[in-house]
């Protein structure tokens, strides 16, 4: 009988432990799927993160060049983020579908920032087209020309304005790789020969991890806000 009493007592404590552990786990909030972004002062554009490197592309070129670039990233298993206009999506539906199907980060490229209505209209238009390709989540916007107004307008609608710290159309890739900094957000040159891209990318991957904007702006990564 003493042995049975001890066994029942142990079982009682075990059940109490399991109940407590289950309750504790239920109170832990699930990880957020949205980037953990907050502004200390007023909304401003993001130019740089604090670790890794993010490659971005402004989609303005021909469908042939763009499709080659997308397939290049797929082949090398490299993350990249693409910024598109509604006009480009309408003109290149096959490439747009390829982007959406491959789950690349896609943002809105703003070419007309004359007023808030124009910005809102373009964001909605891009959203609607991507939704037809089952790509519902857009988190980022970018202006062709830097301006203080876009971050304020985009933030009011729940979007983050992401510009770039390195423009490879103006800076030789060899110089960029040599002086790469953690957190660099890189604007690629879509017209560049892919053989050159492959060469500098292989060197970059030996120095830094290449991530998507979602990875750079999410989790514990801190963002440098530049007014």
């Amino acid at each position: 009988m003493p042995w049975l009493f001890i066994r029942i007592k142990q079982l009682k404590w075990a059940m109490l432990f399991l109940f407590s552990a289950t309750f504790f786990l239920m109170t832990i909030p699930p990880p957020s799927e949205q980037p953990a972004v907050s502004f200390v002062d007023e909304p401003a554009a993001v130019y740089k993160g604090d670790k890794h490197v993010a490659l971005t592309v402004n989609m303005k070129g021909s469908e042939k060049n763009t499709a080659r670039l997308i397939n290049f990233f797929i082949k090398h298993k490299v993350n990249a983020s693409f910024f598109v206009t509604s006009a480009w999506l309408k003109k290149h539906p096959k490439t747009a579908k390829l982007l959406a199907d491959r789950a690349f980060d896609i943002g809105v490229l703003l070419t007309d920032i004359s007023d808030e209505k124009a910005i809102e209209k373009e964001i909605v238009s891009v959203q609607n087209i991507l939704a037809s390709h089952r790509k519902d989540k857009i988190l980022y916007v970018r202006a062709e020309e830097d301006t203080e107004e876009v971050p304020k307008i985009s933030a009011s609608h729940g979007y983050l304005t992401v510009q770039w710290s390195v423009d490879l159309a103006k800076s030789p890739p060899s110089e960029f790789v040599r002086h790469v900094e953690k957190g660099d957000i890189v604007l690629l040159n879509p017209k560049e020969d892919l053989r050159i891209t492959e060469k500098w990318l292989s060197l970059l991957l030996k120095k830094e991890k290449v991530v998507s904007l979602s990875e750079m702006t999410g989790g514990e990564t801190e963002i440098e806000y530049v007014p």
Side-chain angles (χ1 to χ4, degrees):
M1 291 300 292
W3 177 83
L4 179 60
F5 175 78
I6 293 172
R7 295 288 293 181
I8 293 174
K9 189 174 182 180
Q10 289 175 339
L11 180 61
K12 177 182 177 182
W13 282 107
M15 292 297 292
L16 182 60
F17 172 79
L18 288 172
F19 175 81
S20 300
T22 302
F23 179 80
F24 174 75
L25 291 173
M26 289 175 66
T27 60
I28 299 176
S32 174
E33 294 182 357
Q34 300 292 332
V37 175
S38 60
F39 294 94
V40 177
D41 296 310
E42 62 180 24
V46 174
Y47 291 83
K48 202 171 183 180
D50 72 333
K51 60 182 178 181
H52 307 317
V53 172
L55 303 181
T56 68
V57 184
N58 289 352
M59 308 291 271
K60 298 185 298 181
S62 68
E63 184 171 28
K64 186 176 181 180
N65 288 343
T66 306
R68 283 178 177 174
L69 186 59
I70 296 169
N71 285 312
F72 171 83
F73 287 130
I74 294 171
K75 174 185 174 182
H76 292 277
K77 298 179 180 179
V78 173
N79 282 318
S81 304
F82 296 82
F83 288 81
V84 299
T85 64
S86 57
W88 187 91
L89 289 172
K90 292 173 183 175
K91 190 175 181 180
H92 307 301
K94 289 183 179 180
T95 308
K97 186 176 185 304
L98 177 62
L99 271 179
D101 289 347
R102 290 293 180 167
F104 285 107
D105 278 347
I106 304 177
V108 181
L109 178 62
L110 300 171
T111 55
D112 180 5
I113 54 174
S114 56
D115 56 51
E116 185 169 355
K117 287 185 178 179
I119 293 173
E120 290 177 357
K121 182 180 179 182
E122 178 64 1
I123 291 174
V124 170
S125 183
V126 170
Q127 277 185 319
N128 290 339
I129 297 171
L130 290 177
S132 69
H133 297 299
R134 298 181 181 179
K135 180 78 171 181
D136 299 323
K137 188 168 65 175
I138 297 177
L139 301 174
Y140 313 108
V141 301
R142 164 180 288 178
E144 274 192 314
E145 297 181 7
D146 222 351
T147 172
E148 294 181 359
E149 295 306 314
V150 171
K152 297 175 184 177
I153 296 171
S154 63
S156 69
H157 294 279
Y159 301 100
L160 183 64
T161 301
V162 180
Q163 296 296 114
W164 55 86
S165 58
V166 178
D167 184 351
L168 290 184
K170 299 178 180 179
S171 174
S174 57
E175 286 296 309
F176 155 62
V177 173
R178 189 177 296 116
H179 302 292
V180 64
E181 296 181 0
K182 292 184 183 298
D184 270 338
I185 298 175
V186 185
L187 176 61
L188 273 67
N189 178 7
K191 297 180 181 179
E192 182 179 73
D193 190 320
L194 288 182
R195 290 172 295 181
I196 297 175
T197 305
E198 188 168 24
K199 186 175 180 179
W200 66 255
L201 182 60
S202 64
L203 295 174
L204 175 63
L205 291 172
K206 293 176 182 177
K207 299 182 67 175
E208 287 291 343
K209 181 180 179 180
V210 174
V211 299
S212 66
L213 285 176
S214 292
E215 292 175 274
M216 181 174 277
T217 61
E220 297 179 354
T221 301
E222 295 178 358
I223 297 298
E224 177 184 339
Y225 294 97
V226 182

